[in-house]
């Protein structure tokens, strides 16, 4: 088996043991914790409009208005919209 599957042999053994025990589900079971944030075009557009209308808006204020986490809003503002700066100096395009 090691020759056929190489380093993945341990995973194959675990999977085959689960299959023999009756587990036939091919989908991962849900895991606890925070789910991944999905950044939609609507989030990006709304965040962009809000920043352009008030350059001194904070990430926390944007998060409330966009209905997303502060981290998600940071990703939108800095990575998608390419704004730099802070609420202190106002966001500016780079």
């Amino acid at each position: 088996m090691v020759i056929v599957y190489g380093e993945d042999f341990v995973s194959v053994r675990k999977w085959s043991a689960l299959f023999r025990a009756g587990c036939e589900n091919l989908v991962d079971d849900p895991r606890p914790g925070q789910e991944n944030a999905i950044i939609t075009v609507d989030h990006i557009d709304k965040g962009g409009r809000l920043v352009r209308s008030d350059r001194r808006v904070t990430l926390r204020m944007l998060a409330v208005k966009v209905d997303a986490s502060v981290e998600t809003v940071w990703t939108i503002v800095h990575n998608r919209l390419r704004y730099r700066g802070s609420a202190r100096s106002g966001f500016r395009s780079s």
Side-chain angles (χ1 to χ4, degrees):
M1 290 285 245
V2 176
I3 294 169
V4 174
Y5 296 108
E7 296 296 320
D8 294 329
F9 177 66
V10 174
S11 296
V12 171
R13 260 179 54 186
K14 286 181 185 177
W15 175 81
S16 63
L18 287 171
F19 185 75
R20 280 192 304 263
C23 179
E24 296 178 7
N25 188 3
L26 299 177
V27 179
D28 287 340
D29 293 332
R31 296 187 176 127
Q34 184 176 3
E35 295 187 21
N36 291 335
I38 298 175
I39 299 174
T40 64
V41 176
D42 292 334
H43 285 129
I44 296 169
D45 290 343
K46 191 172 184 179
R49 281 194 310 272
L50 291 168
V51 170
R52 284 189 297 276
S53 69
D54 180 10
R55 296 278 179 158
R56 299 185 64 78
V57 68
T58 64
L59 290 175
R60 189 167 295 170
M61 290 166 52
L62 283 173
V64 169
K65 291 180 180 182
V66 175
D67 192 31
S69 69
V70 175
E71 292 81 12
T72 301
V73 171
W74 187 94
T75 301
I76 292 170
V77 169
H78 290 86
N79 295 345
R80 302 292 176 95
L81 298 173
R82 300 275 188 216
Y83 286 116
R84 301 288 180 244
S86 65
R88 216 176 273 148
S89 61
F91 290 107
R92 58 190 180 283
S93 286
S94 57

